[in-house]
């Protein structure tokens, strides 16, 4: 499978503007904020998209791991925070933090932890990132 996206940019980094589109049309011409790496703004940016990709991929991987253990989640909700830091050699993504809240009837804490840790290391987006990936997870009773 191959998926594509297109990015356009006009102007310099701080004052410029741009748009991102995806093959599926979900992000069709979505604007990127002015000074996207320097402040929060209206629109999206690469870091936000990376966070969405990691949260989505990880959550689906947890579901697959639970299914392999004979379990089905009532709910899985993952928030991902991508950290962009300025380092001596330029900007870098230094962390992707996943925070999972789950309701999985019949799961023991050990089964849940195994599924979550396998998903963290096995999700394709986790494998892509060359950064520190941290995780907190909560299994509701």
């Amino acid at each position: 499978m191959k998926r594509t996206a297109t990015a356009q940019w006009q102007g310099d980094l701080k004052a410029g503007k741009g748009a991102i589109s995806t093959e599926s049309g979900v992000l069709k011409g979505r604007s990127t904020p002015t000074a996207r790496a320097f402040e929060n703004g209206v629109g999206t940016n690469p870091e936000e998209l990376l966070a969405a990709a990691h949260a989505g991929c990880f959550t689906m991987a947890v579901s697959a791991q639970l299914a392999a253990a004979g379990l089905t989640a009532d709910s899985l909700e993952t928030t991902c925070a991508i950290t962009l830091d300025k380092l001596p050699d330029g900007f870098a993504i230094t962390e992707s933090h996943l925070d999972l809240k789950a309701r999985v009837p019949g799961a023991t804490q050990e089964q849940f932890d195994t599924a979550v840790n396998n998903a963290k290391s096995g999700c394709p987006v986790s494998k892509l990132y060359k950064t520190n990936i941290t995780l907190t997870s909560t299994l509701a009773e």
Side-chain angles (χ1 to χ4, degrees), residues 112-136:
F112 177 70
D113 291 344
T114 297
V116 167
N117 287 321
N118 287 343
K120 177 186 169 209
S121 61
C123 126
V125 175
S126 289
K127 291 177 181 180
L128 173 69
Y129 290 165
K130 291 171 40 178
T131 192
N132 183 35
I133 298 172
T134 58
L135 169 68
T136 54

Side-chain angles (χ1 to χ4, degrees), residues 32-100:
T32 57
T34 305
R36 71 139 197 60
F38 305 100
E39 59 189 47
N40 292 322
V42 177
T44 191
N45 59 50
E47 295 76 31
E48 181 180 64
L49 296 172
L50 291 170
H54 204 187
C57 183
F58 169 75
T59 304
M60 290 187 289
V62 171
S63 179
Q65 288 293 319
L66 290 170
L71 299 164
T72 302
D74 278 351
S75 65
L76 299 171
E77 182 179 323
T78 305
T79 301
C80 179
I82 294 288
T83 302
L84 179 69
D85 286 323
K86 186 171 184 178
L87 303 177
D89 64 344
F91 285 94
I93 293 170
T94 56
E95 183 177 14
S96 180
H97 179 75
L98 299 163
D99 183 28
L100 170 66

